[in-house]
Amino acid sequence: MFRNGKSVTGLAILAFFVLVAIFADVLAPYSPTKIDPTQRLRPPSPEHWLGTTHIGEDVLSQVIHGTRGVIVVGFLAAAIATVIAITVGVIAGYLSGWKSEALSALTNVFLVIPGIPLIIVVASIFEDPPLWAIATVLGLIGWAWGARVLRAQTMSLRNRDFVLAARANGEPLRRIILVEMLPNLLALIAASFVGTVTAAILGLTTLAYIGVIPVTAYNWGTILNWASAQGAFQQNQWWWYLPPGLCIALIGVALSLINFGIDEYVNPRLRSAGERARAMRTKGLDVNDAVTAVRTDLSIPTDDPEPTDTAATREKATA
């Protein structure tokens, strides 16, 4: 993965956003709620690099502080969903009979549960829903797809020789799953984790944009909510809505690149194709060229004084 340009680029972009979230208080030039009536709707300037809002708030400071909420909710929801997916998917794949069918039915039920309406109902219970509550709900409704994939892969592993040998030696179920199976599932677990982070971030920003999450909890979605409510889209106040939108797109691209790298690591065909493409680039060949380069030097070596008579050779071989 770390020799793959896609995954390295995605990890670098994601690390940048994580550092911004950690050091938001240091990086932000102003408080995200600081109001300056003399600087209303100002375009980008040396004082406010990304301009100001309708009441004079600094957009850059809001984007920086909003990164923290996005990263926290994305990773917390993905962690919750991944733990549930591993527990349900691996156990359902290893066991057989009614236990496996019951866990599979539970997974199918969570696959069809609508996420956004459920979160709206949960958010209506709290007057000011905290980020951990939103992340928990996103994690509880986002584990089913990962569990299905892990169940299918575990079913293909449970009859392998190393698992049968561990079972014949009397190894407990806990050790068989943790030591024998999980190392073979790490790539799929990582891919499921990255996909859940993407879904959680998009879910959080969507909920904030439609107003389900209180606008006092800053993230990129709440910035877009304020911009839409104050007519920034109609008045072309691009400095207000474009930066958070680009941040959402950029972190989505980063997570997609990481997922591509994981896919290439998991799939031997993709991995060999990627290694072959890198080797061709190293030799200066065009990867997309449909014609294979061949030797153009057809001269006869000097140690062979005369060419071989192909017809005579065939006659001798026939005789």
Side-chain angles (χ1 to χ4, degrees):
M1 272 189 63
F2 295 99
R3 294 196 302 267
N4 189 316
K6 295 178 182 179
S7 58
V8 170
T9 303
L11 288 171
I13 298 173
L14 183 61
F16 169 77
F17 282 109
V18 171
L19 291 176
V20 169
I22 295 173
F23 300 103
D25 297 329
V26 179
L27 296 175
Y30 304 95
S31 171
T33 57
K34 181 181 178 181
I35 298 175
D36 188 357
T38 62
Q39 298 290 328
R40 295 180 177 178
L41 293 177
R42 295 295 179 89
S45 63
E47 295 181 357
H48 302 279
W49 289 3
L50 295 181
T52 59
T53 66
H54 65 297
I55 55 177
E57 297 170 327
D58 185 64
V59 176
L60 176 60
S61 301
Q62 292 184 349
V63 171
I64 292 175
H65 279 274
T67 306
R68 179 174 296 173
V70 170
I71 295 296
V72 169
V73 171
F75 279 88
L76 182 57
I80 295 172
T82 303
V83 170
I84 300 175
I86 293 173
T87 304
V88 176
V90 175
I91 294 177
Y94 182 80
L95 299 178
S96 59
W98 67 269
K99 297 178 181 179
S100 177
E101 295 299 329
L103 291 175
S104 178
L106 179 65
T107 304
N108 293 334
V109 169
F110 274 86
L111 280 174
V112 298
I113 291 179
I116 300 298
L118 179 61
I119 298 176
I120 293 175
V121 172
V122 173
S124 63
I125 300 175
F126 298 92
E127 183 178 352
D128 188 5
L131 290 178
W132 64 264
I134 299 170
T136 301
V137 176
L138 289 172
L140 290 176
I141 64 176
W143 60 269
W145 284 109
R148 293 283 294 179
V149 175
L150 291 175
R151 177 179 180 269
Q153 187 65 20
T154 305
M155 291 178 68
S156 68
L157 290 175
R158 69 184 181 186
N159 293 323
R160 300 284 180 89
D161 292 339
F162 62 92
V163 177
L164 295 177
R167 192 184 306 168
N169 289 333
E171 299 290 348
L173 176 61
R174 180 181 65 257
R175 188 184 185 281
I176 292 176
I177 292 177
L178 295 179
V179 178
E180 302 294 342
M181 287 190 168
L182 279 185
N184 294 281
L185 299 173
L186 285 179
L188 290 177
I189 293 171
S192 176
F193 181 85
V194 172
T196 309
V197 172
T198 306
I201 290 175
L202 293 177
L204 173 68
T205 52
T206 301
L207 293 171
Y209 178 72
I210 64 178
V212 174
I213 300 175
V215 293
T216 55
Y218 275 101
N219 60 70
W220 299 332
T222 55
I223 300 173
L224 293 174
N225 177 276
W226 276 110
S228 177
Q230 300 301 321
F233 295 95
Q234 291 78 14
Q235 301 175 20
N236 197 23
Q237 295 161 357
W238 57 268
W239 61 87
W240 194 351
Y241 60 83
L242 192 59
L246 288 177
C247 288
I248 296 172
L250 190 59
I251 198 170
V253 169
L255 293 170
S256 299
L257 291 175
I258 295 173
N259 219 345
F260 292 154
I262 295 174
D263 287 340
E264 184 171 321
Y265 176 78
V266 174
N267 193 329
R269 292 183 178 179
L270 293 177
R271 184 167 64 249
S272 60
E275 293 174 353
R276 185 165 58 251
R278 285 189 289 271
M280 291 179 65
R281 294 192 192 98
T282 303
K283 296 179 180 179
L285 301 176
D286 187 2
V287 179
N288 298 319
D289 193 356
V291 180
T292 304
V294 297
R295 287 182 54 189
T296 57
D297 185 11
L298 301 179
S299 60
I300 300 173
T302 56
D303 56 349
D304 191 2
E306 57 184 9
T308 303
D309 189 355
T310 306
T313 303
R314 286 201 299 267
E315 291 178 359
K316 292 180 180 178
T318 304

